[in-house]
Amino acid sequence: MKRIVLLFALMSALLSVTATAQTLRSSSNSYIGSIDSNGTVRSSSNSYVGRIESNGTIRNASNSYMGKIESDGTIRNASNSYMGRIESDGTVRSASNSYIGKVESDGTVRNASNAYIGSARGVKKAWAAVFFFFDFF
């Protein structure tokens, strides 16, 4: 009995440190990929397509620098050009400051017309914005 309890405790500990992927879905609710809690981005076929590092650096599958999400929500491309920003409430703005959509608190993603374009439940808002609005992946 002690071995079973010990084995269960060990398995629970291992599972708790494993990054869990959060599903990305299209407007038709089709699975389009995932982003795990470490920022690893995978396609619908589970291929590695890139990552978003803890400091906001965005890298593609070849580890090339693609851009950055700055701490204030500013999003820049590899040339350091301003692409837009995500505000704390999930509002997404383009480089010209136009409203282009929103990532809601439940992960629902809407475009400028308020149409549902997908979901990113459990994904950080800025990461979802990079995926859905700024074509990094």
Side-chain angles (χ1 to χ4, degrees), residues 11-68:
M11 288 174 54
S12 295
L14 287 172
L15 290 174
S16 69
V17 297
T18 303
T20 56
Q22 303 302 319
T23 300
L24 302 168
R25 297 206 174 267
S26 69
S27 60
S28 63
N29 207 32
S30 297
Y31 175 75
I32 56 174
S34 66
I35 303 178
D36 73 19
S37 59
N38 292 325
T40 300
V41 183
R42 296 198 176 273
S43 69
S44 61
S45 63
N46 204 33
S47 298
Y48 175 76
V49 294
R51 74 178 185 276
I52 305 168
E53 299 174 354
S54 60
N55 68 355
T57 296
I58 303 165
R59 297 195 181 275
N60 67 12
S62 302
N63 203 35
S64 296
Y65 178 81
M66 300 300 294
K68 185 165 187 171

Side-chain angles (χ1 to χ4, degrees), residues 56-58 65-86 95 130 134 136:
T57 296
I58 303 165
Y65 178 81
M66 300 300 294
K68 185 165 187 171
I69 305 166
E70 297 177 356
S71 59
D72 66 354
T74 296
I75 299 169
R76 297 192 180 275
N77 66 15
S79 302
N80 203 35
S81 296
Y82 178 76
M83 296 184 67
R85 73 177 188 277
I86 179 149
V130 164
F134 296 103
F136 279 99

